[in-house]
Amino acid sequence: MEQHHLHRRRRDFEVRTLKSEGDGDILVYGSAGLVHDLLPAGLVDAIHLMIYPVALGRGTRLLPDGWSSRLKLDSITELGTGILSVRYRLGAG
């Protein structure tokens, strides 16, 4: 798997270029800030979450305000010990 590191000021341009040149999926691991940049730019097709049964009181929200209503549930898979793999597609919002 080829890896790319994105420059903070050019994230949307670089991801748009990767999408136009590639034929596979682009995966983002653990970067709510990047998701906040790419959603408004229309560069996210799906969100695949691994949900662990742990409650935390602080942290960065994964989705900016108003975006959760645009998610359409695609699939849920139980992985054992309470862990869920959840995939959402982005719908019109």
Side-chain angles (χ1 to χ4, degrees):
M1 180 184 308
E2 187 176 348
Q3 294 183 4
H4 294 272
H5 297 276
L6 303 176
H7 300 284
R8 183 159 182 79
R9 293 185 191 148
R10 300 178 47 191
R11 287 176 170 177
D12 59 342
F13 171 77
E14 291 183 30
V15 171
R16 198 174 307 280
T17 301
L18 286 171
K19 285 184 77 153
S20 69
E21 293 174 351
D23 60 357
D25 292 332
I26 298 172
L27 304 175
V28 175
Y29 293 100
S31 179
L34 181 57
V35 171
H36 281 234
D37 289 348
L38 300 182
L39 276 171
L43 295 171
V44 177
D45 300 318
I47 295 176
H48 187 172
L49 301 175
M50 301 290 282
I51 300 174
Y52 292 78
V54 175
L56 301 175
R58 298 180 189 198
T60 303
R61 293 177 59 106
L62 175 63
L63 301 173
D65 288 339
W67 282 90
S68 61
S69 64
R70 299 181 187 192
L71 299 179
K72 306 299 178 205
L73 184 62
D74 191 38
S75 65
I76 299 174
T77 305
E78 186 176 351
L79 303 177
T81 63
I83 301 169
L84 300 175
S85 173
V86 181
R87 181 179 171 91
Y88 296 96
R89 289 255 172 229
L90 242 51

